[in-house]
Amino acid sequence: MLLDPSAREADGESVRIAKDVLCGGADVKVTLPESPSELDRVLAHRGKRRAVVIGSDQALQRVLQALHRQRELDTDPVGLVPVGGPVATATARLLGVPPEPVAAARTVLAGSARRLGMLLDDGGGVVLSEVRFTGPRQGRTGGWRSLWAKLAAAEQASPTGSEELRIEADGRLLVDVHQRVRHLRVAMVDGAMELVLDLDGSPQRHRAGRLTVAGRGFGYEADGCPVGPVRHRTWTVRPDSWRLLLPAG
């Protein structure tokens, strides 16, 4: 069981309840990785134990990134007990994970593994729900404990106006740098990548398997987590690439 240290600070009672339910139904080893390197080490030495995350969407995202680096993304199903506010656990709700700690912990013990897709980027990141373009940002903050700080920044952030971007979908040019992008949202919809692009107040919708965005320096939010500024990023759809424990039936 991988406990995000910030989860105890955010809602210690929900963490305690989840641990009691999980420990009452399985042989559980609790770890509190406080850095990416420690998370990598814990996952690499977990043996036959399943990875179960108690924490926010970003805690789950970090675990999946680590499993992807270790080429073990689809080795075993991953469990999740969401802990945090509505923004911090929005992706968990979209994926169908029960929001209450007792129900979520019971799902980890007796749920069914469902295959899900994700977006992988060329910087080593994963996206489970959506990418929103937000304009230039501060550089990303490192470390497991910084996730809640990122979420707080995401809640306060607002789009910073139009962007000069070059956007290609499956090798087809959608936008060149002389055009101004007012809004761009990229989401996983039914296992595919859906783009909502607004240049002049008339949103366009596109579907693609691969998206490349380039610019002088742009920021974006991946599942609510601010990233950037970067000059280039490519996302690729990975359908049915991981498994999540969800309520049976």
Side-chain angles (χ1 to χ4, degrees), residues 144-158:
W144 182 267
R145 280 185 169 274
S146 66
L147 297 176
W148 287 99
K150 293 179 182 178
L151 286 167
E155 284 188 286
Q156 297 171 4
S158 60

Side-chain angles (χ1 to χ4, degrees), residues 140-241:
R140 80 169 74 191
T141 309
W144 182 267
R145 280 185 169 274
S146 66
L147 297 176
W148 287 99
K150 293 179 182 178
L151 286 167
E155 284 188 286
Q156 297 171 4
S158 60
T160 58
S162 56
E163 283 285 311
E164 295 180 352
L165 300 172
R166 179 181 174 87
I167 302 173
E168 295 183 4
D170 291 337
R172 180 166 60 97
L173 182 64
L174 300 181
V175 179
D176 212 340
V177 291
H178 66 276
Q179 299 171 284
R180 303 287 287 186
V181 178
R182 296 177 59 181
H183 173 79
L184 176 60
R185 175 179 175 268
V186 183
M188 286 292 296
V189 179
D190 298 329
M193 186 193 311
E194 182 176 274
L195 289 68
V196 179
L197 174 64
D198 186 350
L199 300 179
D200 55 8
S202 302
Q204 310 169 22
R205 292 183 180 271
H206 305 272
R207 285 212 167 191
R210 183 181 178 89
L211 174 71
T212 297
V213 179
R216 289 182 298 177
F218 58 90
Y220 63 91
E221 294 171 4
D223 295 333
C225 181
V227 181
V230 298
R231 293 180 177 272
H232 182 279
R233 185 66 86 226
T234 295
W235 290 268
T236 305
V237 175
R238 284 283 299 271
D240 299 332
S241 54

Side-chain angles (χ1 to χ4, degrees), residues 100-114:
E100 300 82 11
V102 172
R106 288 175 176 168
T107 296
V108 170
L109 295 173
S112 299
R114 186 180 306 170

